[in-house]
Amino acid sequence: MSHAAAAHDHDHDHHMPTGFKRWFMSTNHKDIGTLYLIFSLTMLFLGGAMALVIRAELWQPGLQYVDPHFFNQMTTVHALIMVFGAVMPGFVGFANWMLPLMVGAPDMALPRMNNWSFWILPFAFSILLMSFFVPGGAPASGWTLYAPLTIQGGMSVDMGIVAIHMMGISSIMGAINVIVTVLNMRAPGMTLMKMPMFVWTWLITAFLLIAVMPVFAGAVTMLLTDRHFGTAFFNPAGGGDPVLYQHIFWFFGHPEVYIMILPAFGIISHIIPTFARKPLFGYSSMVFATAAIAFLSFIVWAHHMFTVGMPLQGELFFMYATMLISVPTGVKVFNWVTTMWRGSMTFETPMLYAIGVVFLFTLGGLSGLMLAITPADFQYHDTYFVVAHFHYVLFSGAVMAMMGGTFFWLPKWTGHMYNETLGKFHFWLTAIFFNVTFFPQHFLGLAGMPRRYADYPIQFTEFNQVSSIGAFGLGLSQLLFVYIIVSTVRGGKKATAEVWDNPEGLEWTVPSPAPFHTFDTPPTIK
């Protein structure tokens, strides 16, 4: 530890750089965290704008604003941007800001690599977005990039593959940095089982990233060689099998879901004890439940593929393995609720978000259980029920947890308190419009409306219109989120070091805003 701290001090003087040098060449974990969070928010709006194009087109039957090919481009790039541009970099931003503060380290272990991890991303997404302007437009195969659609696609598929490789490199470098920081730079006395839950969830997430991102890179590289170098991994014309692509993709794709949700669990595990004024119930069981979820995520991938035709024994295995994940997930929900039980709860904005996440994510989990049941999945597969399910998991689980985490730590980041009234207003607008958008999609799916269709029969009109109204409300509500953040950065009531009423953790022992350099002398944990 002392060696690491000394090395850090050698690399950085104690003057805060400014301008270009600070923001483009920074190796400071707080600045890089801020860059990640700004990038994530920008991508959220960009991906959200594409979602609004989709919802505008689906306002009524027939084709109104875009043709079906452009509609498919919107659904594909919307998903790629939200997954790889908004949610994943958002959590990396939280990790950069909070992990060193939580473990008592002066910085991330590999600061120069940290800078590279971030600056790869804008170039990757520039390439992806430029694909709209090449002949044939952007990839239109869905974010899964299924073969043989992608074998037949235009040059935008190649641009998408290059962008995905760059995103993967960024993610793996970030994951290595997290693992090295957490395992080597913890404050003296902080054993693994004394680490904050956010640190635990990120440590496990980092191992997941290193395990599965190369698998995805392999899948898209095989696609590339099928397209240009005469191989036939997935091309039936050459003896290949498109279902092989699905197996490889979902071996990456299902753990990816947990890469996007485990850090959210970590954030919620900090907010609830703070505002319930009780220690987190069952800390050890939370750690083991997180590890169990991560392990089980590797053995359930084929539940995305029940309809491709697999042996009955395979269907039964993947059905039961998928349902098994609800056990450790249930442990987490039970522990959060038990932490709140008889606590001296107050309902500031972060707590509202935490309760919202627990409730809405549980609903998303229950619809996931419905999809896990093989014969039922044959009915729901590729309908709007699936769209509703994964938005309940990823928006109300991951994105709303990030919003709650932003309100929770914003005073620590900026040194100012945000406007509590506006914060609560933002929560209620987001929660209400989110449900208006996505709850009707359960019924659309149960009634048989397929996803990724630009047109639909007239009987689906009302639910689609309710959903579109909700989507525009949800999108406009996020302008308030930006206003609250900008106004807090610019000024407001000064925040104390602890910010909240007796919170737990090393991050609350440093002043607000957190100084540019922290923990030059490592704290000791008793």
Side-chain angles (χ1 to χ4, degrees), residues 315-337:
E315 289 179 347
L316 288 174
F317 170 80
F318 286 108
M319 179 173 85
Y320 290 129
T322 304
M323 295 169 86
L324 199 59
I325 291 189
S326 61
V327 176
T329 310
V331 168
K332 284 184 160 295
V333 173
F334 175 81
N335 285 0
W336 289 325
V337 173

Side-chain angles (χ1 to χ4, degrees), residues 15 37 84 86 170 176 178 254 315 331 336 384 432:
H15 297 293
L37 291 171
F84 296 108
S170 167
I176 291 170
V178 167
H254 198 78
E315 289 179 347
V331 168
W336 289 325
Y384 261 84
I432 290 169

Side-chain angles (χ1 to χ4, degrees), residues 58 371 376-388 439-461 463-464:
L58 293 175
L371 287 161
D377 183 78
F378 275 71
Q379 303 297 314
Y380 309 143
H381 187 82
D382 264 347
T383 67
Y384 261 84
F385 191 85
V386 180
V387 179
F439 203 75
Q441 294 182 5
H442 290 106
F443 302 118
L444 284 171
L446 291 172
M449 178 168 164
R451 63 199 273 209
R452 296 172 178 155
Y453 277 30
D455 192 6
Y456 55 82
I458 195 166
Q459 67 265 31
F460 299 132
T461 307
F463 279 135
N464 267 304

Side-chain angles (χ1 to χ4, degrees), residues 286-368:
M286 289 291 254
V287 172
F288 291 119
T290 308
I293 290 170
F295 171 74
L296 290 172
S297 72
F298 282 106
I299 58 168
V300 299
W301 76 89
H303 69 211
H304 296 269
M305 303 163 53
F306 284 143
T307 56
V308 303
M310 70 173 81
L312 179 63
Q313 294 84 350
E315 289 179 347
L316 288 174
F317 170 80
F318 286 108
M319 179 173 85
Y320 290 129
T322 304
M323 295 169 86
L324 199 59
I325 291 189
S326 61
V327 176
T329 310
V331 168
K332 284 184 160 295
V333 173
F334 175 81
N335 285 0
W336 289 325
V337 173
T338 312
T339 305
M340 287 187 270
W341 177 251
R342 293 188 172 176
S344 300
M345 290 208 293
T346 51
F347 298 95
E348 287 87 344
T349 309
M351 187 61 165
L352 290 178
Y353 269 102
I355 295 171
V357 168
V358 172
F359 180 70
L360 295 172
F361 176 79
T362 304
L363 282 182
L366 291 174
S367 60

Side-chain angles (χ1 to χ4, degrees), residues 60-251:
Q60 63 184 32
L63 297 175
Q64 279 73 237
Y65 306 109
V66 295
D67 62 70
H69 183 56
F70 189 74
F71 184 90
N72 285 341
Q73 294 172 42
M74 286 285 109
T75 56
T76 303
V77 181
H78 159 74
L80 287 171
I81 282 182
M82 286 303 196
V83 170
F84 296 108
V87 176
M88 288 173 68
F91 281 129
V92 179
F94 277 94
N96 262 290
W97 247 104
M98 302 313 302
L99 287 190
L101 289 178
M102 286 178 167
V103 300
D107 205 325
M108 297 296 278
L110 307 162
R112 180 60 64 190
M113 193 167 86
N114 206 13
N115 175 289
W116 271 97
S117 303
F118 172 75
W119 280 108
I120 286 174
L121 283 181
F123 291 100
F125 282 90
S126 300
I127 293 172
L128 181 65
L129 292 172
M130 279 192 288
S131 69
F132 276 106
F133 303 101
V134 300
S141 54
W143 82 284
T144 51
L145 304 175
Y146 275 169
L149 279 174
T150 37
I151 295 175
Q152 299 161 350
M155 69 179 288
S156 63
V157 176
D158 302 320
M159 297 172 77
I161 289 172
V162 171
I164 285 167
H165 275 295
M166 293 173 74
M167 296 168 204
I169 292 168
S170 167
S171 296
I172 289 173
M173 290 203 300
I176 291 170
N177 224 336
V178 167
I179 291 171
V180 179
T181 305
V182 172
L183 295 185
N184 291 306
M185 295 179 68
R186 297 193 309 280
M190 182 180 279
T191 61
L192 287 177
M193 291 308 285
K194 284 183 181 175
M195 291 196 311
M197 269 313 295
F198 184 65
V199 180
W200 257 117
T201 53
W202 242 112
L203 180 64
I204 292 169
T205 301
F207 279 108
L208 276 180
L209 274 166
I210 289 177
V212 301
M213 287 310 290
V215 177
F216 189 29
V220 293
T221 305
M222 290 157 83
L223 264 183
L224 200 66
T225 61
D226 269 12
R227 284 168 55 80
H228 298 296
F229 301 105
T231 59
F233 294 110
F234 312 126
N235 189 354
D241 184 359
V243 176
L244 172 65
Y245 177 85
Q246 294 194 27
H247 278 292
I248 301 173
F249 177 85
W250 285 115
F251 186 79

Side-chain angles (χ1 to χ4, degrees), residues 91 260-269 271-272 329 332-333 336-337 340 349-366 391-406 427 430-431 434-435:
F91 281 129
M260 290 189 282
I261 202 68
L262 290 184
F265 289 171
I267 291 172
I268 299 306
S269 300
I271 295 175
I272 288 179
T329 310
K332 284 184 160 295
V333 173
W336 289 325
V337 173
M340 287 187 270
T349 309
M351 187 61 165
L352 290 178
Y353 269 102
I355 295 171
V357 168
V358 172
F359 180 70
L360 295 172
F361 176 79
T362 304
L363 282 182
L366 291 174
H391 280 94
Y392 265 82
V393 173
L394 288 179
F395 190 92
S396 65
V399 177
M400 284 178 66
M402 280 198 276
M403 290 172 176
T406 302
F427 165 75
T430 302
F434 165 77
N435 283 293

